[in-house]
Amino acid sequence: EVVMAKNQGMFGQQSATSDEHSAMVQAGDAGPRKIHVGSLPDSITEWQLRQEFSRFGTVTDVMVKTGCEPGRQWGFVTFQRSAEAQVAKESTDRILMFPGSEKP
């Protein structure tokens, strides 16, 4: 499952600063840039996630949650532009399946 992340701050902990938000608005790119990717195989690496999602645009950050229960691996992928994140979400949600995943 791929969804737009609820919190767009670094590592999902805080919102963008007002200066960062102003710069994004001026650039016409104020939408969410981070997606949450669930249902990942336990063996997934940040490199694999970056490689897969780079086909949708410039990936600026990848974080894979460590220490998850078996079968419940997830991560975040942040794109340079919100349009790239939206295309990635629409193109992969409930479709993309990595080897070793139990479901898309």
Side-chain angles (χ1 to χ4, degrees), residues 54-96:
S54 289
R55 61 190 174 123
F56 301 106
T58 303
V59 173
T60 60
D61 188 47
V62 175
M63 191 278 296
V64 173
K65 173 70 172 131
T66 58
C68 293
E69 293 177 34
R72 302 198 38 97
Q73 191 67 47
W74 57 272
F76 288 112
V77 178
T78 305
F79 289 89
Q80 186 171 357
R81 295 182 178 81
S82 61
E84 296 169 337
Q86 188 63 42
V87 168
K89 183 237 182 272
E90 292 171 0
S91 300
T92 60
D93 186 27
R94 302 187 193 281
I95 298 169
L96 176 65

Side-chain angles (χ1 to χ4, degrees), residues 21-29:
H21 183 69
S22 295
M24 287 186 288
V25 169
Q26 289 175 353
D29 194 38

